[in-house]
Amino acid sequence: MSGSAPGAGRLGSVVVAGGGTAGHVSPLLALADCLRRREPDVRITALGTVEGLEARLVPARGYDLEFVPKVPMPRRPSAALLRLPGSMRRAIQAADDAMSAAEARVVVGFGGYVSTPAYLAARRRGIPIVVHEQNARPGLANKVGARFATHVAVTFPGTPLHGATVTGMPLRREIALLDRKARRAEALAHFGLEAEWPTVLVTGGSLGAQRINEAFQASVDTLRVAGVQVLHVTGVGKDFAVSEGVGLAPYVVVPYADRMELAYAAADIVVARSGANTVCELTAVGLPAAYVPLPIGNGEQRLNARTVVGAGGGLLVEDADLTTGWIEGTLVPLLRDAAGLADMATAAASVGEHGGDELLADLVLDAVSGKS
């Protein structure tokens, strides 16, 4: 997609790279929005993949999107590993072509499949690089990018990237400035929920979470009879039907929620994976949560939730322990303890950060102006 000529302000033209899941796309869009607020004529070009959420969300937000071939990093010897050099060269060239067309002055990467070729193309072109790492334990792409970035930003203190600045997570303003109490009636109406019931928001992120989905699907009747209403965001293609229940608490199933700020405003507690973006959004809006870290990967989800759980703003639930028994024996009684939930909400809010977008934008401006 083509865009207008680079803006005349200090930023000029910015390329942002990241995609695949909401964990990468949401902070990318939050930064883009912040840069546009600062300099309305800034040109922003996003690099992403055809398959990722960015293919839909970035153009819908009003930003140009250029596609870069997806290059997964094989973790063991395979045919994909043999194809890696050629695949990476093609991806780097696609990123390079996009940067040339955009006349990019700075590249900001958020990790994920497209960030490694973006970093390597920017290095080849001599363009300043800013890296933002969302998780407490960095991914491979950002480990690579941080080696030659001019500025490195991290969400959580203690993230092991040399010379990093703690900025927190860039959050969309709809979430960073959310007043849950003021928006609750609107939120309940939006999702077809009712004011008299306590509300659980269940989400496994944009891709869904099988364990969470299965446990709650098996507990629909238990929750409705107990007087607990549920907004269940299953992930695309993973939604299921729930029968009508006259006089019972609603159980609303949606595959994806574009208006997550309204989902948060409707909720009294959230059951979710502890991806970095989820943790940061929930603490920013002061929502208690039961965090269920992904049991595979490098363990970053457990680390992401460590601070808020330590502060008393959330519970940590092992994936194997997220069962119908836990829902009935722990979650339902918690929903009946309004004072306890209020204390958890206060604790969650105490570790929330609202200005990550502005702090990261400061680093981008420093990179453009040559400040270290």
Side-chain angles (χ1 to χ4, degrees):
M1 300 179 188
S2 62
S4 56
R10 289 182 297 161
L11 286 166
S13 177
V14 179
V15 167
V16 289
T21 67
H24 290 130
V25 180
S26 292
L28 179 154
L29 290 175
L31 174 68
D33 289 349
C34 182
L35 296 177
R36 182 164 282 178
R37 287 196 306 273
R38 290 189 177 198
E39 294 189 15
D41 62 346
V42 65
R43 177 176 178 178
I44 295 173
T45 305
L47 304 183
T49 65
V50 175
E51 304 93 339
L53 277 178
E54 64 274 15
R56 179 171 64 88
L57 297 182
V58 169
R61 202 76 170 186
Y63 299 110
D64 290 348
L65 176 65
E66 297 290 345
F67 293 119
V68 173
K70 181 177 177 178
V71 188
M73 295 294 182
R75 297 187 181 275
R76 56 181 60 87
S78 65
L81 184 61
L82 296 177
R83 294 192 296 268
L84 180 62
S87 300
M88 184 60 76
R89 279 195 298 272
R90 288 188 290 274
I92 293 170
Q93 189 59 54
D96 188 283
D97 291 345
M99 292 174 197
S100 176
E103 300 179 39
R105 296 186 65 193
V106 62
V107 172
V108 188
F110 293 86
Y113 294 125
V114 301
S115 288
T116 300
Y119 295 146
L120 295 174
R123 185 190 190 194
R124 186 166 74 184
R125 298 183 69 86
I127 298 172
I129 296 167
V130 179
V131 169
H132 183 274
E133 174 55 54
Q134 292 89 64
N135 290 295
R137 184 170 287 164
L140 179 60
N142 281 349
K143 286 181 180 178
V144 171
R147 293 172 59 186
F148 39 83
T150 54
H151 295 79
V152 178
V154 295
T155 298
F156 300 103
T159 301
L161 287 176
H162 180 70
T165 299
V166 179
T167 61
M169 180 74 75
L171 300 176
R172 292 182 293 120
R173 302 306 273 178
E174 298 96 320
I175 289 172
L177 302 179
L178 176 66
D179 183 334
R180 290 199 297 121
K181 185 176 180 180
R183 302 289 296 279
R184 183 173 174 83
E186 174 194 357
L188 293 172
H190 179 81
F191 290 108
L193 299 168
E194 299 172 3
E196 63 264 36
W197 312 104
T199 308
V200 179
L201 169 62
V202 179
T203 175
S206 56
L207 300 180
Q210 184 176 356
R211 165 73 69 170
I212 295 175
N213 284 346
E214 290 177 348
F216 275 86
Q217 185 173 1
S219 301
V220 170
D221 292 340
T222 297
L223 289 161
R224 298 175 86 180
V225 171
V228 173
Q229 70 182 348
V230 178
L231 174 59
H232 189 159
V233 184
T234 61
V236 176
K238 299 174 183 177
D239 49 321
F240 55 90
V242 175
S243 61
E244 292 290 333
V246 178
L248 298 176
Y251 195 110
V252 175
V253 179
V254 295
Y256 186 78
D258 283 320
R259 302 289 305 277
M260 280 305 291
E261 73 277 10
L262 292 183
Y264 293 155
D268 296 296
I269 192 170
V270 180
V271 179
R273 291 295 191 206
S274 46
N277 203 63
T278 298
V279 173
C280 292
E281 288 186 349
L282 295 181
T283 54
V285 304
L287 253 176
Y291 292 106
V292 189
L294 191 68
I296 59 175
N298 63 7
E300 75 274 6
Q301 288 206 353
R302 180 179 297 276
L303 295 177
N304 292 344
R306 181 172 54 188
T307 298
V308 62
V309 171
L315 308 173
L316 198 66
V317 184
E318 298 297 337
D319 189 74
D321 294 338
L322 198 283
T323 63
T324 55
W326 179 87
I327 291 169
E328 184 173 7
T330 301
L331 183 62
V332 170
L334 184 57
L335 265 293
R336 292 172 175 158
D337 181 7
L341 283 177
D343 289 343
M344 289 181 69
T346 300
S350 74
V351 296
E353 169 61 60
H354 299 82
D357 56 344
E358 298 286 354
L359 294 173
L360 183 58
D362 288 341
L363 295 185
V364 175
L365 278 165
D366 286 349
V368 171
S369 62
K371 294 180 182 178
S372 57

